[in-house]
Amino acid sequence: MSTAAIDKKQAWGGGQSPFQLSYGKIMMWFFLMSDAFTFGAFLISYGTTRFASVLWPDSNEVFASFPWFAPNGGAPMAFVSLMTFILIISSVTMVLAVHAGHCNDKKQVIKWMLWTILGGIAFLSCQAWEWMHLFHHNGTLWGSFRNGEGAEVLPHLFNHSHIAALTAKEGAEFVTRESADAAHKFFNFFFSITGFHGAHVASGVVLNIIILLNTINGTYEKRGHYEMVEKVGLYWHFVDLVWVFVFTCFYLL
Amino acid sequence: MHFSDYESDQSRLYNAHHGDINSAESKSKVKNIWKITAYLTLITLIEVGIGLYSHYSHAEGGLKTAYNIIFILMTLLKAGLIVSIFMHLGDEVKSMIMMILIPLTLFIWFTIAFIADGAFWLWINQHVYTWSK
């Protein structure tokens, strides 16, 4: 087709794509929009609950462990920074795969797709470690801290000076009840949202493997273009994009 | 071009750049990708640095709010780089860019309305329903 710029009046007159994009790519964008609103709703409900709470767990206390180096805390932000870096790099290798696809270079597409899949698996492994660690270390999973259970770990999850100030003002019973309630909500949101994101990463890895196999089999070479790499690439970048927001909401703010 | 032409063959709408991967144009594009990678990494490192400084210096009140505003701005900057460069939205026609960006502005209302509701809920619990004490 002609790639010349479409006249604005003619663009919507029929007979051509006003967006100069294929159906599949536009639909991928629409899907990602709907998914963005789903993740947005999750994160905003997390924020709403946090604003409605007297206390909230301190991420620097909750997420302070690193395998081998600091298994019992003392290294806030370190592990999640590594996870974030892994996901950024796997996003970069994906762009390089898309770029190789633009150049119809099969070997390079295979190479960069392999790196992307590896990055995705590395991220999922990190997340599995983080979840397991939280469970073994604090006993936290969905529904933790109901009916006074696990109250002994609560002081380790909050900012110590906030707890001390509130205890002096409202009494120990109030602080124990409010911190249990806040930690209960915090971990429900944490496991739901990072779990939903992890499910996206996992399905992204599966899609990437399918694309890799198709590339190896020469499906796209025969078709004459690697647009499928680009479409799955959009999904993969979106997963990285969501993590950027999850990182900010759960670990920074 | 007739309607049925692209209806039947979607690949006609796929206008990729068919240059050689070792061409100068391709190399400059790859260089740009690595440049954006460096930016994303640098922004993340700055975020982590501020986060750790805020934690160890026990930042409270207005200072903590200022750090949070910086975090949100840096997050939006990272999101912008990923969407416009990595997802190539910046290379699409303007109407496509607007079709994606305009619905997302709903988030401005969405965030403010719900966060304000949460804050009001806390206020009413502390000032009206004093049974919680």
Side-chain angles (χ1 to χ4, degrees):
Chain A
M1 76 167 248
S2 154
T3 53
I6 294 170
D7 181 66
K8 210 175 175 182
K9 276 181 189 163
Q10 289 176 351
W12 296 91
Q16 59 199 339
S17 165
F19 298 124
Q20 299 181 29
L21 285 176
S22 69
Y23 171 84
K25 211 160 152 186
I26 294 174
M27 288 305 127
M28 178 55 89
W29 273 105
F30 281 174
F31 166 68
L32 296 182
M33 290 288 281
S34 71
D35 226 16
F37 279 102
T38 309
F39 273 110
F42 276 155
L43 289 173
I44 290 169
S45 60
Y46 166 81
T48 305
T49 308
R50 182 173 175 172
F51 267 75
S53 301
V54 183
L55 278 168
W56 201 246
D58 185 345
S59 55
N60 291 301
E61 306 290 345
V62 180
F63 310 108
S65 301
F66 199 102
W68 303 301
F69 302 107
N72 296 310
M77 306 281 291
F79 194 60
V80 70
S81 304
L82 175 70
M83 287 171 72
T84 305
F85 186 67
I86 289 172
L87 212 54
I88 288 177
I89 292 301
S90 87
S91 214
V92 173
T93 56
M94 190 71 197
V95 200
L96 291 169
V98 170
H99 177 74
H102 285 165
C103 301
N104 282 329
D105 194 315
K106 184 178 165 181
K107 267 191 183 165
Q108 294 273 326
V109 173
I110 293 172
K111 180 178 94 179
W112 292 118
M113 285 308 291
L114 272 170
W115 279 112
T116 307
I117 292 164
L118 199 69
I121 292 171
F123 179 84
L124 286 171
S125 311
C126 289
Q127 199 173 33
W129 183 86
E130 193 182 38
W131 278 37
M132 290 307 282
H133 179 77
L134 285 170
F135 181 66
H136 289 304
H137 201 68
N138 297 325
T140 45
L141 213 57
W142 281 275
S144 298
F145 306 113
R146 267 184 311 202
N147 310 321
E149 65 193 50
E152 65 283 355
V153 299
L154 281 173
H156 306 297
L157 304 176
F158 290 82
N159 181 310
H160 308 307
S161 51
H162 285 178
I163 290 281
L166 204 63
T167 307
K169 197 173 158 222
E170 307 277 0
E173 196 197 332
F174 175 83
V175 170
T176 307
R177 190 178 63 230
E178 291 296 327
S179 57
D181 186 49
H184 169 71
K185 288 168 181 166
F186 175 84
F187 283 105
N188 278 351
F189 275 113
F190 175 78
F191 287 112
S192 297
I193 293 175
T194 60
F196 194 57
H197 176 264
H200 276 73
V201 179
S203 58
V205 168
V206 172
L207 290 172
N208 284 344
I209 290 172
I210 294 170
I211 295 299
L212 173 68
L213 293 177
N214 281 344
T215 308
I216 293 170
N217 287 337
T219 309
Y220 308 130
E221 202 173 24
K222 275 178 227 147
R223 196 175 287 175
H225 63 80
Y226 287 77
E227 193 186 14
M228 278 309 290
V229 179
E230 215 171 311
K231 283 186 241 177
V232 171
L234 283 176
Y235 179 72
W236 191 252
H237 295 312
F238 174 77
V239 167
D240 181 32
L241 186 65
V242 168
W243 182 255
V244 166
F245 285 92
V246 170
F247 174 66
T248 302
C249 292
F250 274 101
Y251 301 90
L252 289 177
L253 292 177
Chain B
M1 188 172 75
H2 191 262
F3 186 67
S4 59
D5 286 350
Y6 77 84
E7 187 75 344
S8 57
D9 184 5
Q10 286 287 310
S11 64
R12 281 159 178 261
L13 277 166
Y14 182 64
N15 42 12
H17 345 273
H18 293 291
D20 186 80
I21 200 147
N22 293 314
S23 68
E25 193 203 353
S26 160
K27 278 187 174 153
S28 87
K29 276 184 178 158
V30 170
K31 206 176 159 190
N32 189 47
I33 291 170
W34 285 110
K35 194 177 80 185
I36 300 301
T37 312
Y39 288 164
L40 290 172
T41 309
L42 193 68
I43 295 168
T44 306
L45 285 175
I46 295 171
E47 282 178 331
V48 172
I50 297 175
L52 288 176
Y53 180 75
S54 161
H55 174 60
Y56 288 113
S57 64
H58 306 289
E60 295 286 345
L63 194 60
K64 187 87 181 78
T65 309
Y67 289 148
N68 285 346
I69 290 168
I70 294 173
F71 290 146
I72 290 167
L73 291 178
M74 288 187 138
T75 302
L76 292 174
L77 181 62
K78 278 205 280 189
L81 287 175
I82 292 172
V83 173
S84 73
I85 313 285
F86 284 5
M87 297 172 89
H88 297 290
L89 188 64
D91 302 332
E92 306 294 0
V93 297
K94 200 183 165 199
S95 54
M96 177 69 192
I97 299 175
M98 288 304 146
M99 187 174 70
I100 300 301
L101 293 186
I102 290 171
L104 291 178
T105 57
L106 270 172
F107 273 123
I108 299 170
W109 159 79
F110 200 17
T111 310
I112 295 171
F114 280 82
I115 296 291
D117 187 50
F120 180 67
W121 186 254
L122 177 64
W123 183 87
I124 211 165
N125 269 343
Q126 289 178 324
H127 293 87
V128 181
Y129 300 117
T130 46
W131 50 263
S132 71
K133 295 187 180 177

